[in-house]
Amino acid sequence: MPVPPDATNPDQAGPGEGEGDVPGRVIAVRGVVVDITFPSGPLPPIDDALTIGDAGPNALVAEVQAHLDDRTVRAIALYATDGLRRGDPVTRHGGPVTVPVGEAVLGRLIDVTGRIGDNGAPLPADVPRRPIHRAPPTLAEQGGPSTLFVTGIKVIDLLTPLAQGGKAAMFGGAGVGKTVLVTELIHAMVASYHGISVFAGVGERSREGHEMLLDMARFGVLENTVLVYGQMNEPPGARWRVPLTALTVTEYFRDERHRNVLLLMDNLFRFVQAGAEVSGLLGRLPSRVGYQPTLASEVAALQERIASVAGASVTAIEAVYVPADDFTDPAVTTIAAHVDSVVVLSRSMAAEGMYPAIDPIASSSILLDPLVVGEEHASTAIAVRRTIEHYRELQDVIALLGVEELGAEDRRVVARARRLQRFLTQPFAVTEPFTGVAGCSVPVADTIAGCRAILAGECDAWRESSLYMTGTLEQARAKEGQGAKEFSGTRAGAP
């Protein structure tokens, strides 16, 4: 929660504060939009924080969004305004909302203003605080991605490699596995990642926040993780500003502790959606498809702060909901312009049971370059994509006439493409309680070797099911051998 400066001390007072300063008064309340008048002194600047009513641990915090005239501001409340009345006093903070940062918030769940949400002990009184609004690092201060961020997920590591210090976004409609994929990445980082993790739950369900807290504790990464939540049941102002709270915590560890940080956001579309709600409440005319006219600048202000500096990297993985599976939606295209790796989840692949349902053709990464990943990796990825794309081109013919009408070469391509699709599926550790299949992590070298073997025809005689939901090619070979033994035993016992 922001701590208002001491209004009786001119050294601590914010702009317009000090001896004789008169607090503001609420003059209108329309949902979470609050109009406030200040009888004297300059108006608080845009994005400054205000406390409405009595200050305390549960004070109502609002943020200035517009100056209506020389004495009146319009603010957006970050909490519910139930019980708010005209005439309630308003205290200036003299700056933006500040949130707690540092070692004290590790292992804790906080909200948009830093209030504890995990029913644990309160934070120490001397915990450092930082404002949620700040400028991004200059271009000269920023450092580029240096090493690959290995996830152990075959299709990601092969076709859309992530970089430590880069930004990746996972786009998909409802129910195709975005949250499961993000949770699996959290699990995968336990073995390979030793930095700080910050998880921002933006506009998600309360149940998912509770499950994430339990999963973090179960995976043993909670002590190095900060959970920041602005959930679906909270006002739009909280959902709109909670990514900035997560970024503020991230920047503290990057700049002042020189630690690598993994920043996970689920779901960034809710940030855009909350901004559209706030824009409508403030009376601004909508832009394309009803989005706020400031869509591009809001997304840019958020994404430009996700940057690495010399000696410390910020690796961002963002889940993005695609409304109605429309990948031309302005919110989706605006977010995609800022990321290095684009992971597209396909509803048709999910319907076929190909999990993770990552589209190998639509997904891309600027890191898939021979100078970055090596010649063998890049050539294998290109060959996999070419084979699967050729298969998709033939699917209409197969559906109408059958695979028997294809030429010998096309039938060979179809068989190998189907095996590649199944080899790129993988059991997840986070789904083991539901499927009963133990999750696995696959090194990049094993993924490349397996795909090259399938492309070379070494698996043409295998059953497709042997490659489905396995890890390495050796595991698939063992599965094929076991299946062959069972088939032989069945035939031997037949009358």
Side-chain angles (χ1 to χ4, degrees), residues 77-398:
L78 302 184
Y79 296 101
T81 56
D82 298 344
L84 196 61
R85 299 171 297 176
R86 283 182 293 179
D88 281 349
V90 178
T91 306
R92 313 170 197 240
H93 287 254
V97 171
T98 61
V99 295
V101 295
E103 310 294 334
V105 297
L106 290 176
R108 305 305 300 269
L109 188 151
I110 61 175
D111 69 1
V112 63
T113 62
R115 296 177 184 172
I116 294 299
D118 55 12
N119 295 325
L123 295 175
D126 59 349
V127 63
R129 307 183 75 89
R130 296 292 183 272
I132 65 171
H133 295 283
R134 60 175 294 182
T138 63
L139 191 59
E141 295 174 325
Q142 295 184 23
S146 55
T147 58
L148 292 182
F149 187 86
V150 178
T151 66
I153 299 174
K154 290 183 287 188
V155 65
I156 291 181
D157 289 341
L158 177 68
L159 300 177
T160 61
L162 312 183
Q164 185 167 317
K167 285 182 279 191
M170 299 175 183
F171 297 92
V176 294
K178 296 185 300 300
T179 301
V180 170
L181 194 54
V182 170
T183 310
E184 181 67 15
L185 285 170
I186 294 171
H187 181 269
M189 78 187 184
V190 175
S192 60
Y193 186 75
H194 304 289
I196 300 296
S197 302
V198 178
F199 181 87
V202 187
E204 292 301 286
R205 303 168 185 86
S206 301
R207 168 186 57 80
E208 291 176 339
H210 179 68
E211 290 176 352
M212 181 62 69
L213 185 63
L214 296 178
D215 286 343
M216 290 284 193
R218 180 162 58 92
F219 296 153
V221 296
L222 186 59
E223 64 273 11
N224 288 320
T225 304
V226 184
L227 302 177
V228 188
Y229 271 90
Q231 296 178 139
M232 192 178 287
N233 61 331
E234 297 187 46
R239 291 180 270 122
W240 190 38
R241 291 312 191 198
V242 77
L244 303 186
T245 300
L247 267 175
T248 303
V249 176
T250 298
E251 289 166 340
Y252 175 85
F253 285 109
R254 180 197 67 191
D255 298 336
E256 302 187 35
R257 290 289 182 265
H258 306 292
R259 301 283 301 275
N260 294 335
V261 184
L262 176 63
L263 175 63
L264 302 121
M265 292 189 179
D266 187 11
N267 182 313
L268 203 59
F269 174 79
R270 305 298 178 195
F271 161 74
V272 174
Q273 191 177 47
E277 291 180 49
V278 169
S279 181
L281 291 169
L282 294 173
R284 297 172 184 158
L285 289 175
S287 183
R288 290 188 301 158
V289 200
Y291 286 110
Q292 62 270 43
T294 54
L295 170 63
S297 60
E298 287 178 8
V299 172
L302 176 71
Q303 296 285 358
E304 289 303 308
R305 286 177 61 181
I306 305 174
S308 301
V309 298
S313 67
V314 175
T315 306
I317 299 174
E318 307 162 359
V320 184
Y321 168 70
V322 180
D325 291 342
D326 179 12
F327 287 88
T328 64
D329 186 87
V332 175
T333 56
T334 302
I335 295 170
H338 291 272
V339 298
D340 305 320
S341 302
V342 175
V343 179
V344 177
L345 287 98
S346 165
R347 188 170 301 281
S348 61
M349 292 186 65
E352 294 173 8
M354 301 295 172
Y355 290 107
I358 295 173
D359 190 326
I361 307 303
S363 302
S364 62
S365 173
I366 64 171
L367 302 166
L368 192 60
D369 185 288
L371 298 176
V372 179
V373 298
E375 183 63 41
E376 184 182 33
H377 185 158
S379 61
T380 303
I382 291 171
V384 168
R385 279 205 175 112
R386 185 185 297 119
T387 303
I388 294 175
E389 179 63 22
H390 192 173
Y391 168 50
R392 290 187 177 181
E393 291 171 355
L394 297 171
Q395 280 184 321
D396 287 344
V397 176
I398 295 170

Side-chain angles (χ1 to χ4, degrees), residues 39-95:
S40 65
L43 292 180
I46 303 297
D47 291 335
D48 262 24
L50 306 170
T51 294
I52 304 176
D54 296 331
N58 296 313
L60 175 57
V61 180
E63 190 178 81
V64 177
Q65 289 301 314
H67 291 174
L68 302 183
D69 55 42
D70 60 353
R71 283 285 166 259
T72 310
V73 301
R74 179 161 289 168
I76 290 290
L78 302 184
Y79 296 101
T81 56
D82 298 344
L84 196 61
R85 299 171 297 176
R86 283 182 293 179
D88 281 349
V90 178
T91 306
R92 313 170 197 240
H93 287 254

